[in-house]
Amino acid sequence: MSSINQLLLEAKSVTKYFGTITALENVNLKIHAGECLGVVGDNGAGKTTTINVLSGLLPPDPSARKTAVVYGKDIGNPEAIHSLRRVLGVCPQHDVLFPHLTLREHVAFFGQLKGRDAASAAKDADSLLEVFRLSD
């Protein structure tokens, strides 16, 4: 269990470029255990890019090393990002469902995104569908 004062996320001057476009410039942020954060702003303000970089969904710029630490993991370190993805979840603005996938395939797909190999993700999907009585 986390201490209420435990620092879970600290970003210092995080910057992200897409070619010559500056998507983020000097983002600074601290989140402690027990806090809830809402991110609001105009379209194109960098909300999604910030979340994607801090969660490891989007690679940071090479200059990002040691500019943000999430759950004690440096987002500039690819190995740390891999382990961070196992414990961090992001709820997107819109549902991320693919019309060509079954429920089982969706569950297995998201298991693989969280670091499970294909066989384990498929087995986990079958078990979860049974537990929630959603199997055929």
Side-chain angles (χ1 to χ4, degrees):
M1 186 161 291
S2 300
S3 163
I4 196 71
N5 292 323
Q6 181 183 5
L7 186 61
L8 300 180
L9 181 149
E10 182 172 20
K12 297 178 183 176
S13 300
V14 174
T15 300
K16 176 68 180 172
Y17 298 99
F18 292 105
T20 60
I21 301 200
T22 303
L24 302 176
E25 187 171 28
N26 296 321
V27 173
N28 296 288
L29 177 66
K30 286 185 182 182
I31 300 175
H32 292 87
E35 292 181 338
C36 181
L37 172 72
V39 183
V40 297
D42 293 333
N43 289 342
K47 302 175 300 292
T48 300
T49 301
T50 299
I51 298 300
N52 287 345
V53 168
L54 294 177
S55 66
L57 295 174
L58 187 63
D61 285 346
S63 63
R65 191 132 178 92
K66 292 291 185 189
T67 60
V69 176
V70 181
Y71 285 109
K73 305 197 185 310
D74 172 11
I75 66 159
N77 179 336
E79 291 177 19
I81 286 295
H82 182 70
S83 65
L84 176 63
R85 286 181 182 151
R86 294 174 186 255
V87 297
L88 183 68
V90 173
C91 181
Q93 180 175 338
H94 302 286
D95 291 338
V96 180
L97 298 175
F98 305 100
H100 61 281
L101 296 181
T102 65
L103 176 59
R104 180 187 179 279
E105 290 168 333
H106 272 96
V107 173
F109 171 72
F110 288 110
Q112 287 180 278
L113 288 180
K114 296 299 274 183
R116 304 289 286 164
D117 62 76
S120 297
K123 184 177 176 184
D124 292 347
D126 290 336
S127 297
L128 287 168
L129 294 182
E130 284 293 324
V131 166
F132 292 104
R133 298 183 181 135
L134 296 171
S135 59
D136 296 329

